[in-house]
Amino acid sequence: MKKKMNKILALGLTVAMMFSIAGCSKNTDTPSNSDKTSTPTAEATKLPENTPTAKPSGSGRAEYTADGKRIIKVGTWYEHYYTSDHHAIEDNPEVTDVELAQMQLDNMRAIEEKYNVEFRFINLTWNGIIESINTSIMSGKPDVDIYETDLQFGAPAALSGYAMDISKFAAPDSDIFKDQAVMSYLSFTGINNNYLFRPVAKTSQLGGNPLSFNLDMLKQAGLENPQDLYDRGEWTWDKFREYLIATTKDTNGDGSTDIYGYSGWWTILLENLCMSNGTSIASGAKETLSSPATIEAMDFIYKMYNEDHTASPWNQDDWDTNNKLYAQQQSCFFTGAAWIFKEFGISPDVGFEIACVPWPTGPSGSYENNKMMKTAGNYYFIPNGVEDPELVYNVFHDWSNWYQGDTELRDDVEWFQNMMMTERNYNYLEMMGKREQFDMWGNLGLGDNFSMVPIMNGEKTAAQYAEETKNIVQEALDQYFK
């Protein structure tokens, strides 16, 4: 029992630490601060009054209506449509596509009849989900049948033994293990079992950060379009470094740089240099911060900031400043993303043509096998102790498949296409999303204990930093893999 309690405390501490870095990443799935700080109440998990509960003989854990319908509950922190609580498409105050909304509502009614269930999302609040995971699952009576989780606390929960292995409720020949047309799962390096799953949506595969650039600047410098280099397999770190040097300029001759080769968040730069060099920082039970390939990635950053001086000086006080320099034409290359373009400007609004390309291949990377997008967003898991998890999963699968396999109804990517400006840019973004990598470094709660600032300002070399920091990363990973 002591060991179990230690595991609970370890998870709680790990999750608490994770919130310290929440401000360092953009994630549209993350709730507002008011949502995060709200505390769970009895009201938050209470079922509507029109759903009386009764437990048939032998049920023990599951909840049922008075007429014998199984109540399947998903713990979340925001509203979902359409569930058993909704009876008209207007129940969603933001409904825009009436036809699709009606399909979703009709699908809910069909599920209720097919499985004799009522399906509900229960608002436990952000902190309430964490507390529920830490307490109810270990008691053997989880508060809900499925938890919706951000990876900040979903990943450690799964790896700490709170989640049920997907193979226990999904058949080997089911969609999640085959085509993944409806449901996909998250795999961990070095871990044989799989716990976290989510409905497939193309929009979740379009959150990558392609390397973006001012195409007009490159034309003026007489440099070939990196997109053409990439398509020929010639877009490498060495070539990228040449381009950074060529586009860093003192335009008025006063001895100060006016246009830098690169600008953007160091977090995005580090992640993508690692992926482009076939490496990671914490994608398995053992840290790889100190691996030669990761040190190469950090050394590239060191050279950009301290030897070549091609990267815009880092502004720690205002992270947005680092991202918006491209729109002011103060940098040629920059970290791009649909949300960055939306916030700071797209072509032709900014006055020049923006182009995007996958990150160049590093010396230890593989042009064919490099990963290109960091896994992020919300995942679900069925906690240990849930009664009839196969039924629970099948209901959730069918609820997610409201489009009945017609993915064109599901995948509305017009907004992303608009943000990416050209078909070529969008195609690169779509390709990157098919080559995901889960690296846990951003979910370890490292905070100020992990930052590229000492490397960017020349205080530490990459090798020195890796040697001094590797144990901190490993200790945090050990909390995951207890």
Side-chain angles (χ1 to χ4, degrees), residues 6-54:
N6 287 339
K7 184 176 286 189
I8 296 172
L9 292 172
L11 176 59
L13 289 172
T14 301
V15 172
M17 291 169 65
M18 288 173 188
F19 292 118
S20 67
I21 63 168
C24 298
S25 63
K26 286 278 184 178
N27 184 345
T28 56
D29 291 324
T30 303
S32 65
N33 289 334
S34 61
D35 289 329
K36 290 184 182 180
T37 55
S38 58
T39 55
T41 64
E43 189 68 26
T45 57
K46 187 174 69 174
L47 293 172
E49 293 181 0
N50 61 354
T51 27
T53 61

Side-chain angles (χ1 to χ4, degrees), residues 38-308:
S38 58
T39 55
T41 64
E43 189 68 26
T45 57
K46 187 174 69 174
L47 293 172
E49 293 181 0
N50 61 354
T51 27
T53 61
K55 294 185 178 181
S57 176
S59 95
R61 298 188 184 98
E63 293 188 49
Y64 294 80
T65 64
D67 57 355
K69 294 180 180 179
R70 169 76 181 270
I71 302 172
I72 295 176
K73 300 180 293 182
V74 182
T76 185
W77 61 89
Y78 61 99
E79 189 71 46
H80 290 71
Y81 301 95
Y82 289 94
T83 71
S84 293
D85 291 323
H86 306 120
H87 301 282
I89 60 173
E90 293 78 16
D91 288 341
N92 178 1
E94 298 179 1
V95 63
T96 55
D97 193 316
V98 173
E99 184 177 354
L100 294 186
Q102 190 63 54
M103 289 180 64
Q104 294 168 2
L105 187 62
D106 291 345
N107 182 60
M108 185 67 255
R109 299 286 89 86
I111 288 171
E112 290 170 334
E113 182 175 354
K114 176 180 178 180
Y115 294 104
N116 193 36
V117 298
E118 291 193 357
F119 182 71
R120 307 183 185 281
F121 278 78
I122 308 298
N123 189 349
L124 297 177
T125 76
W126 177 276
N127 285 350
I129 288 179
I130 297 170
E131 181 176 332
S132 176
I133 290 171
N134 278 321
T135 56
S136 73
I137 299 176
M138 291 302 296
S139 74
K141 297 181 179 180
D143 291 328
V144 294
D145 300 288
I146 302 176
Y147 284 96
E148 180 176 16
T149 67
D150 185 277
L151 288 176
Q152 293 180 40
F153 51 88
L159 295 173
S160 295
Y162 296 109
M164 193 176 298
D165 185 350
I166 296 174
S167 65
K168 292 184 178 180
F169 51 78
D173 60 349
S174 61
D175 169 74
I176 194 169
F177 294 127
K178 295 293 185 180
D179 298 334
Q180 296 193 344
V182 177
M183 205 73 66
S184 64
Y185 64 86
L186 175 64
S187 60
F188 298 96
T189 301
I191 301 296
N192 293 327
N193 296 337
N194 304 295
Y195 307 97
L196 301 172
F197 56 90
R198 69 176 175 187
V200 172
K202 182 172 284 190
T203 53
S204 67
Q205 299 174 331
L206 298 175
N209 296 104
L211 181 61
S212 304
F213 53 93
N214 184 322
L215 184 57
D216 292 357
M217 283 188 184
L218 295 188
K219 290 178 179 178
Q220 292 165 8
L223 298 172
E224 186 175 3
N225 187 338
Q227 295 173 324
D228 296 331
L229 294 175
Y230 177 82
D231 291 347
R232 297 200 304 267
E234 299 173 7
W235 186 226
T236 65
W237 281 11
D238 286 342
K239 182 62 70 173
F240 181 37
R241 189 179 184 187
E242 291 177 15
Y243 275 44
L244 291 176
I245 293 172
T247 55
T248 298
K249 296 180 178 181
D250 171 12
T251 58
N252 57 16
D254 65 355
S256 298
T257 300
D258 304 304
I259 300 174
Y260 285 91
Y262 171 82
S263 65
W265 286 5
W266 68 257
T267 51
I268 298 175
L269 175 64
L270 175 63
E271 289 167 356
N272 283 277
L273 286 178
C274 282
M275 287 188 287
S276 69
N277 207 34
T279 188
S280 61
I281 296 168
S283 59
K286 300 298 181 183
E287 60 83 19
T288 47
L289 173 67
S290 60
S291 69
T294 304
I295 291 176
E296 284 177 335
M298 294 189 294
D299 186 57
F300 193 90
I301 296 174
Y302 181 91
K303 291 174 180 175
M304 288 172 63
Y305 282 87
N306 301 287
E307 294 183 10
D308 301 336

Side-chain angles (χ1 to χ4, degrees), residues 11 174 199 261 370 399 441:
L11 176 59
S174 61
N370 280 346
W399 179 80
W441 79 267

